[in-house]
Amino acid sequence: MEDIVITARDLKKVYKMGEMEVHALRGVSLEIKRGEVVAIMGASGSGKSTLMNTLGCLDLPTSGEYILDDEVVADLNDDQLADIRNRKVGFVFQSFNLLPRSSALSNVELPLRYSSTTEGRKEKARLALEAVGLGDRIKHRPTELSGGQQQRVAIARALVNDPSIVMADEPTGNLDSKVGQEIMDLLLNLNKKSGTTLIIITHDPKIAAQTERVIRLHDGRVREEKTE
């Protein structure tokens, strides 16, 4: 039996705006295997950001079943959601989301401060930065780093807790094509070395073509799944 890290069954998400209801997800079902590299694509308003927020335990579905790494998510409270996020999911964002006045080392160390890890935090953060090729930039602040280097710091931060899944939301969107491909190569190489499941939200078909499977959303539904 294949090792499934994500199981979603009939996920629905309804946002209420006054008397109006916005159906962001309309019964999404999918499975993602451990170690798989998957792209989620769709036009603006297709539901891909809502799906990422749900799969990343940033939000709960209105209805449906979601199992993340053998844990049932739907009935968790806010504190439990925060705990499962910190233990099992690493996030990489288009805008990097780094603390501007903190060093690269401090930025990467941040998730460890919210976990039960009390020893060796700086060493773990240093090793994560070395893994993304920034072992010589640990004391630099984000303003002293290029865009590509900042995204490498963000990737190191996402990996420092050894998560089951890394979710990358348009990770190359703020970078030129050459640097963007370098970041993509880095993510794919880290996936091969560590076996971490990689989910990439992207508009770019060139990025999606480098993944193992593309899930396309349209109007809150899975329109197409394609194995690359």
Side-chain angles (χ1 to χ4, degrees), residues 15 37 63 80 83 85 98 149 158 168 172 182 191 200 206:
Y15 295 102
V37 181
S63 64
Q80 291 169 323
D83 176 65
R85 275 198 309 271
L98 301 177
Q149 289 172 332
T172 64
E182 290 174 358
N191 163 264
I200 300 174
K206 292 181 180 178

Side-chain angles (χ1 to χ4, degrees), residues 89-109:
V89 186
F91 293 95
V92 180
F93 298 99
Q94 178 178 351
S95 55
F96 316 141
N97 287 4
L98 301 177
L99 299 176
R101 296 184 180 181
S102 297
S103 67
L105 187 70
S106 294
N107 269 286
V108 174
E109 191 184 352

Side-chain angles (χ1 to χ4, degrees), residues 93-96 151 169-176 180 202 207:
F93 298 99
Q94 178 178 351
S95 55
F96 316 141
Q151 192 61 294
D169 188 6
E170 300 284 358
T172 64
N174 279 342
L175 306 171
D176 64 43
T202 183
I207 297 296

Side-chain angles (χ1 to χ4, degrees), residues 104-168:
L105 187 70
S106 294
N107 269 286
V108 174
E109 191 184 352
L110 190 62
L112 299 173
R113 297 177 185 175
Y114 295 99
S115 71
S116 57
T117 304
T118 57
E119 295 182 3
R121 289 175 181 172
K122 289 189 184 300
E123 179 64 9
K124 283 196 75 173
R126 185 184 65 78
L127 290 173
L129 282 165
E130 286 185 355
V132 300
L134 288 180
D136 59 344
R137 296 287 191 273
I138 64 173
K139 294 182 180 179
H140 287 61
R141 294 179 180 180
T143 53
E144 299 170 317
L145 300 172
S146 68
Q149 289 172 332
Q150 289 183 60
Q151 192 61 294
R152 286 172 182 265
V153 174
I155 292 168
R157 181 183 58 193
L159 294 171
V160 75
N161 263 340
D162 299 318
S164 305
I165 300 166
V166 169
M167 295 192 176

Side-chain angles (χ1 to χ4, degrees), residues 20-46:
M20 237 176 85
E21 288 188 345
V22 177
H23 294 259
L25 297 179
R26 299 171 182 263
V28 170
S29 297
L30 55 85
E31 288 185 339
I32 295 176
K33 293 179 289 187
R34 191 178 305 277
E36 193 173 11
V37 181
V38 177
I40 297 177
M41 299 188 75
S44 179
S46 63

